[in-house]
Every structure is written in C-alpha cells, then in structure tokens.
Amino acid sequence: MTTTTAATPSRWKRFRNSYLVYSFKRDWIAQFCLAIFLCILLGAVCAPWLAPMNPYDLTQINILNSELPPVWIDGADALFPLGTDAQGRDLLSTILYGARVSLIIGFGAVMLQALIGVTVGLLAGYLGGRIDAFLMRLADIQLSFSTLMVAIIVGALIKAVFGGAVYSDYAVWLLVLIIGLAEWPQYARTVRASVLAERSKEYVDAARVMGYRDRRIMFRHILPNTLSPIFVISTVQIANAIISEAALSFLGLGMPETQPSLGSLIKSGFDYLQSGSWWITLIPGAVLVVLVLVVNLLGDWLRDVMNPRLYKG
C-alpha cells in the first residue's frame, strides 16, 4: 500500500494566501498609498532619466530663468512645468533629485537605527540584570537629546575639525549618521519589550537545554519572533527621518542648497514667499507632506495587520 503526502506549499504561495495580502486586497487606502509611494520612489530612482535637466550641472542652469511660475500661471515657460527656483533650476527636476536624497537619508537612517536599537534591545531584554539597567539608562540619556541638538553638536564638531566644505560633500551620510544616532532608542525599547515576552517561552528553554549559545538563541530564535513590531516601527521611523532631514535642512543644519533635498528646497524658497514666488516652497512642501502621509498611513495599516490582539477571521 502506498501513502501520499501533501506537497508543502511554496513560500510564494504561502505569502499569497497570507492574511497580509488578504487585508491589503480589501483595503483601498493601503493600495492607494502604496501606489503613490511607489510613484515617488520610482521617480526618485529614475531621476537622471525622467528629470528634464540636471540641477547639479551648472551648464544647464540659466539665472535669467529664475522664479518662472508653473505652466498654469501667466508668464510661464513650457520647458519648466512646475516653474523654476531662485537659481534658475527646473523645479520638477530638483524635486525628483531632492526626493531621492530625502529617501536615501530616510532609509539609511532607519537602517542605522535598527542596527543599533535591535542589538541593544536584544541584549537588554535577554541578558537582563545590570546590563539591562545600564543599556536602558543609556537609551534614556539618548532620548533626552533631541535630533536637533545631536545635529548641532555633530555638525559643529565636524565643521571645526574638517571644515565646512567636507561637511557639504558628505552631508547625506552625515545626516544618516546624525538621525540614526539620535533615534535608535525607539527600536531598543520596542525590541526589549518583545524579548522580555519571548525569553520565558518553551522554545527558548528547549534551545538552552540543547546547549545553544546565547548569541544563537537571541539572533536565530528570538529575533525572528520580534520582526513584526520592528517592521511596524520602521515605517513610522522612515517618515520621522524624512521629516527630521527636512527640518534640519530648513534650519541650515542639513543639506546645502547646492544639493537639493525636499527640506533644502523648502528653505531655498522661503525667503521668496512674500515676493509672490510661492511655488518654490509650497510645491516641494506638498510633495513632502504627501510622502510622509502615505508612509504613515501604510505604517498604520501594517500595525493593524500585524497586531496579534486583533481578530483575523
């Protein structure tokens, strides 16, 4: 007599049949937000091919074209659909390039936050005792410093040691470092709370009995069971990092005006609001608001889907 066993479904099939995909298909707000986010992301990635001009190429910039209005206002030039800024750069091109810089800073800072925060949270929650107390007090101290204060301190030190030119050349990666170092405690506290709930479960005791090292238990057994809150907080932190970059650039502590980001574009046109050139600030500001809004809405949807306390019948 022969016995047949059911074939194990592939990972792709399990993913398609998961509650995550089921919920996404039924939530039109999540679908709309993801579509908008992918459009902005695609435009930022393909900026060199989609942008009418390169805002970094001085040979393509004519100062005589400065402060031209968008095409729906009298006096516009069809070559510049969204108008130009005070330097004569095409605003559509600078927004595409600026969105790429803002997204690089947002994702890069969140990756650094996750690397530091997840490691600290795992160690604090699993080891406990004095190590837990020390790491959490360190996180409390870090939380007492705002992102702005960290940016002022780090920026001042770098400019004093290496000069302002070096800061401008490496502004993107310095902002990733600043925002990442300023906000890693959000991950540490979340991961620590999850680890405290997981370390007392049977599978952790079984791993200890089998003689596995603490490092393997933390990273191979406990960490995969804490990924849901990590994914949720990452969406929120990406939006926060983009907002932090825009705020720092607006205050003159972030990207220089020669390297467009959404924050530096808003700052560059702020002084021209009263002169009537409102589009230099308001159009990049609207793009920033839409980007942050769709990321936050996707984060809210992901939080609800991955919340084990909600009924998923």
Side-chain angles (χ1 to χ4, degrees):
M1 183 177 66
T2 60
T3 58
T4 58
T5 58
T8 303
S10 63
R11 292 183 178 179
W12 172 246
K13 189 173 182 179
R14 293 199 303 268
F15 174 73
R16 286 190 305 170
N17 296 331
S18 65
Y19 178 75
L20 181 71
V21 176
Y22 173 79
S23 174
F24 181 76
K25 290 180 179 179
R26 295 174 61 88
D27 194 329
W28 67 268
I29 296 179
Q31 297 175 17
F32 179 75
C33 290
L34 182 61
I36 296 297
F37 177 75
L38 290 179
C39 288
I40 296 176
L41 181 63
L42 182 64
V45 172
C46 300
W49 300 278
L50 296 178
M53 62 176 290
N54 185 353
Y56 297 105
D57 188 358
L58 297 179
T59 61
Q60 300 183 29
I61 301 175
N62 187 352
I63 192 64
L64 297 178
N65 293 327
S66 62
E67 299 184 57
L68 291 177
V71 292
W72 60 84
I73 299 178
D74 293 337
D77 190 332
L79 294 176
F80 310 107
L82 298 181
T84 60
D85 62 6
Q87 303 177 38
R89 299 179 298 185
D90 175 49
L91 199 57
L92 175 61
S93 301
T94 54
I95 288 175
L96 290 175
Y97 277 88
R100 180 167 63 168
V101 172
S102 296
L103 287 170
I104 289 174
I105 294 174
F107 281 98
V110 166
M111 291 175 62
L112 181 59
Q113 293 172 26
L115 178 63
I116 299 174
V118 169
T119 303
V120 171
L122 275 173
L123 292 174
Y126 183 79
L127 298 179
R130 294 183 178 179
I131 295 178
D132 181 20
F134 171 75
L135 293 176
M136 287 302 98
R137 297 300 76 74
L138 189 64
D140 291 338
I141 294 173
Q142 178 61 54
L143 286 174
S144 65
F145 292 93
S146 64
T147 304
L148 178 59
M149 185 178 298
V150 175
I152 293 174
I153 296 173
V154 175
L157 288 175
I158 293 176
K159 289 181 180 179
V161 176
F162 300 102
V166 174
Y167 184 89
S168 298
D169 293 339
Y170 298 96
V172 173
W173 308 115
L174 290 175
L175 284 175
V176 169
L177 178 64
I178 290 169
I179 299 174
L181 292 178
E183 301 187 11
W184 63 264
Q186 310 295 338
Y187 280 93
R189 287 178 171 273
T190 302
V191 172
R192 174 182 176 271
S194 299
V195 172
L196 288 175
E198 294 291 328
R199 71 176 185 179
S200 59
K201 294 185 177 180
E202 289 80 2
Y203 73 90
V204 177
D205 295 333
R208 292 197 187 101
V209 171
M210 295 176 66
Y212 290 152
R213 296 178 180 272
D214 290 339
R215 183 174 61 183
R216 177 169 179 171
I217 295 174
M218 283 189 292
F219 290 96
R220 294 285 298 275
H221 298 272
I222 296 179
L223 180 59
N225 290 288
T226 63
L227 291 180
S228 294
I230 292 175
F231 287 146
V232 172
I233 196 175
S234 293
T235 58
V236 178
Q237 289 300 104
I238 288 174
N240 289 341
I242 294 174
I243 286 290
S244 296
E245 179 276 323
L248 292 173
S249 298
F250 185 81
L251 295 174
L253 300 171
M255 297 299 298
E257 293 185 9
T258 55
Q259 301 181 38
S261 69
L262 294 178
S264 63
L265 288 175
I266 295 172
K267 176 181 182 297
S268 66
F270 185 74
D271 295 333
Y272 298 90
L273 279 176
Q274 295 182 352
S275 65
S277 301
W278 52 266
W279 57 87
I280 304 177
T281 288
L282 293 188
I283 294 180
V287 174
L288 177 64
V289 169
V290 170
L291 176 59
V292 173
L293 178 62
V294 297
V295 172
N296 278 328
L297 290 177
L298 285 173
D300 291 341
W301 166 77
L302 193 63
R303 179 196 60 199
D304 294 338
V305 171
M306 291 188 168
N307 189 349
R309 297 183 179 179
L310 295 180
Y311 174 68
K312 298 178 176 60

